[in-house]
Amino acid sequence: MQYMVSVIFEEAGLATPEEDAAIDVFNDRLVAEGHWVFAGGLGAPGTATVIDNRGGEAMFTDGPFVESKEFLAGFWIIEAADLDVALKLAAEGSKACNRKVEVRPFL
Amino acid sequence: MSGVDVREAITRAHQEEWARVVASLARRFGDLDIAEEAAAEAFVTAVEHWPSDGVPPNPGAWLTTTAARKAIDRIRRENRRDDKQTEAQLLSDDGPPEPVGPVGDERLRLIFTCCHPALAMQSRVALTLRMVGGLTVPEIARAFLVQEAAMGQRITRAKAKIKVARIPYRVPSEQDLPARVGGVLAVLYLVFNEGYLATGPDSDPVRPDLTAEAVRLTRLLRTLVPQDGEVAGLLALMLLAEARRPARVSPSGELVALGEQDRGSWDGALIAEGHRLVRERLAAGTAPGRYQILAAINAVHTSARDVRDTDWSQVLALYDQLVRLDPSPVVALNRAVAVAEIDGPQVALAAVDRLAEALDGYHAYHATRADLLRRLGRSQESRAAYDRAVALAGNTAETAYLTRRRDQLG
């Protein structure tokens, strides 16, 4: 069972060196315990482009699909037996990166 | 066997076996939806067949077997591509055998699944009543004054989240248990309070079905964590409140205040059990939590044969202890009632008035103020406070009581 742990934050920019170090420790643990699938940080919403190719021609629009105060700043995809395990890992992830996170199951 | 006997047998089986049937199916098929629908179908089948075939010697086993067959039929209908292996899994139940005795661990797993912290509080309450208590969706909707469709949706969404996000079907591990028990107790206390003082103008002022269900589930929880003081505390609190229920509403449907209740009609057996639990907690010598303190306060009230014998200094000391744990305005308001008995209504009113901002929308705040103002002879202000309390109170018995009090003012 895979879960996406989204990192939610209200400003762009990289983590501080302390946060980075904590994230590294957390990632190593995910790998060691078999929870690691994939993770990554994302560019600011301003770097996004929305594409709509449902019509005759692809439309490219500058900017994110939704303007909001908080946005997706990065994510982990983890392997976990059930929601309790995922929530526990997500809680540690939130502490490590010093940001709010959201957990959602993959279907 | 007469029709009445069969009906009684079905009702009893529903009360005693519903949760066990749902729980065993949930474990076997890993799906609350299927478990619940199959259990409901099994009871319908019982209603159809028991009157002519007779009540089976072991209704619980009959219902579980019937429900399991219904579940398998449903899964087959919904998923015709099942391979042989899934088919074999459906037919053989290789889980651990059903626990024997009055309390099955299965039901506790169900309680903890329904009270998972990832679900909204309202969903936890609704789901617990439906899956564990066997209340129908219309019954739950009525108890919480929401539209049936909305309540049905809430339950459906919660079940879907359990399934899709894979909320595990288990009693939490030893280390997680204390934190999770707290959430379960909060749900059970909400259920009890809704039964004890129903909030709606359209519902009965007291819902003994809900209070009984809350007590039953708390007893169940106590068998799982007998050493948890707060579980014992909540059970004692419920029993001591439940004991006073016969005296709480007059024949004309008016709430009877604690001081005016006919103490002879309190349930002595429940009081004795509640007191025993409170003494047990005192003997444990560990720092009590809020349910234990509330139970102790109720123990003091139920110890007095006459309201004039109430040990108010003891009540106040317990409220002081509670305020340190829970410095909420509602606790401060209740403490002020004890203050009035010891230091007089003037001192109590000063304490209550400090809560004006926080509790202006709470009927009990205005009712307490109204009573204190009445005792101070400030009739006009008292009347205004009763008006506010009446306007905000939802419980019919309480509204009747407050209205009479207001109309008695000189």
Side-chain angles (χ1 to χ4, degrees):
Chain A
M1 180 84 185
Q2 291 187 342
Y3 294 86
M4 173 149 160
V5 181
S6 306
V7 177
I8 301 153
F9 201 54
E10 65 264 23
E11 63 189 68
L14 294 170
T16 65
E18 292 80 24
E19 287 162 2
D20 259 339
I23 292 168
D24 281 343
V25 171
F26 177 62
N27 286 347
D28 288 346
R29 208 199 111 190
L30 289 180
V31 173
E33 292 176 7
H35 296 297
W36 174 268
V37 179
F38 185 70
L42 297 172
T47 64
T49 311
V50 172
I51 300 105
D52 187 353
N53 195 13
R54 291 172 300 180
E57 199 181 335
M59 292 272 294
F60 298 88
T61 319
D62 181 37
F65 76 100
V66 62
E67 295 281 356
S68 68
K69 202 166 118 4
E70 294 179 312
F71 52 85
L72 184 63
F75 59 86
W76 279 278
I77 294 167
I78 57 169
E79 182 68 47
D82 57 44
L83 188 68
D84 280 356
V85 176
L87 292 181
K88 225 172 239 161
L89 291 170
E92 286 169 37
S94 166
K95 192 177 204 124
C97 71
N98 194 27
R99 308 274 192 273
K100 194 158 73 176
V101 302
E102 176 195 276
V103 175
R104 278 167 78 178
F106 276 86
L107 293 176
Chain B
M1 192 176 266
S2 76
V4 176
D5 289 339
V6 174
R7 264 204 305 284
E8 267 175 21
I10 292 171
T11 307
R12 199 168 49 243
H14 194 267
Q15 282 163 359
E16 291 169 3
E17 306 293 347
W18 169 269
R20 201 194 301 263
V21 175
V22 170
S24 88
L25 264 64
R27 173 180 54 72
R28 185 162 163 198
F29 299 106
D31 186 319
L32 287 189
D33 246 336
I34 287 174
E36 193 213 320
E37 279 164 22
E41 281 180 49
F43 278 95
V44 170
T45 310
V47 171
E48 285 165 2
H49 288 264
W50 291 7
S52 51
D53 299 357
V55 177
N58 185 345
W62 188 95
L63 288 162
T64 306
T65 310
T66 307
R69 279 200 208 108
K70 303 275 180 199
I72 291 168
D73 287 348
R74 179 176 292 268
I75 293 166
R76 282 201 182 125
R77 268 201 312 277
E78 284 169 8
N79 190 356
R80 298 192 167 278
R81 290 169 301 143
D82 270 346
D83 55 22
K84 289 245 165 358
Q85 197 190 351
T86 323
E87 189 84 344
Q89 249 170 18
L90 284 178
L91 295 175
S92 70
D93 179 8
D94 52 5
E98 282 299 297
V100 285
V103 176
D105 205 33
E106 294 276 306
R107 277 180 287 181
L108 288 163
R109 287 202 222 180
L110 195 56
I111 292 181
F112 277 96
T113 307
C114 294
C115 295
H116 196 275
L119 300 172
M121 196 59 178
Q122 284 180 316
S123 303
R124 289 187 221 171
V125 175
L127 204 57
T128 304
L129 288 176
R130 177 76 203 114
M131 305 304 289
V132 187
L135 269 66
T136 64
V137 172
E139 279 172 337
I140 301 167
R142 222 175 19 251
F144 293 95
L145 297 173
V146 296
Q147 294 293 314
E148 204 178 307
M151 185 53 83
Q153 247 180 10
R154 182 174 293 158
I155 292 172
T156 305
R157 266 203 308 269
K159 281 193 290 196
K161 180 162 182 181
I162 288 172
K163 186 176 175 178
V164 174
R166 217 186 273 190
I167 287 178
Y169 179 61
R170 67 162 170 249
V171 173
S173 63
E174 194 80 29
Q175 72 205 56
D176 294 330
L177 201 52
R180 290 285 297 281
V181 167
V184 174
L185 291 178
V187 166
L188 297 178
Y189 194 35
L190 274 178
V191 172
F192 184 85
N193 279 333
E194 184 55 33
Y196 195 64
L197 198 67
T199 41
D202 298 328
S203 63
D204 292 337
V206 180
R207 296 279 313 272
D209 52 335
L210 289 181
T211 56
E213 190 55 28
V215 169
R216 194 177 70 84
L217 295 177
T218 309
R219 281 191 196 282
L220 200 59
L221 189 61
R222 189 166 148 71
T223 61
L224 174 72
V225 277
Q227 75 289 359
D228 188 306
E230 281 294 84
V231 178
L234 182 60
L235 180 58
L237 171 60
M238 288 178 178
L239 294 174
L240 294 173
E242 184 74 356
R244 304 198 301 264
R245 188 162 52 76
R248 274 184 67 244
V249 179
S250 75
S252 64
E254 189 179 297
L255 198 74
V256 183
L258 180 60
E260 292 157 13
Q261 288 175 9
D262 168 17
R263 299 187 172 216
S265 65
W266 286 355
D267 186 324
L270 289 181
I271 289 176
E273 193 187 352
H275 284 187
R276 204 160 51 238
L277 284 165
V278 170
R279 278 197 303 274
E280 185 188 305
R281 290 317 308 157
L282 283 175
T286 48
R290 67 184 288 252
Y291 297 122
Q292 290 169 79
I293 297 173
L294 286 169
I297 291 169
N298 276 273
V300 175
H301 284 304
T302 44
S303 295
R305 289 217 182 86
D306 188 293
V307 63
R308 282 165 301 192
D309 301 335
T310 306
D311 185 349
W312 285 105
S313 62
Q314 181 73 12
V315 173
L316 186 59
L318 288 164
Y319 270 116
D320 286 338
Q321 211 177 343
L322 186 58
V323 165
R324 283 195 291 275
L325 274 185
D326 176 9
S328 71
V330 172
V331 171
L333 178 71
N334 292 329
R335 180 183 175 277
V337 175
V339 168
E341 297 300 326
I342 289 173
D343 299 325
Q346 189 73 55
V347 179
L349 184 62
V352 169
D353 280 341
R354 280 195 292 275
L355 308 168
E357 203 177 327
L359 298 181
D360 189 51
Y362 182 46
H363 76 276
Y365 163 76
H366 296 285
T368 306
R369 259 194 101 236
D371 186 56
L372 295 171
L373 288 163
R374 179 185 61 79
R375 285 154 77 174
L376 289 165
R378 292 158 65 175
S379 301
Q380 214 160 353
E381 291 164 89
S382 174
R383 187 184 307 277
Y386 274 122
D387 282 340
R388 285 282 286 150
V390 169
L392 290 165
N395 185 275
T396 48
E398 204 169 16
T399 309
Y401 166 76
L402 293 168
T403 308
R404 181 174 60 82
R405 273 293 165 107
R406 179 193 63 196
D407 296 345
Q408 277 175 343
L409 284 169

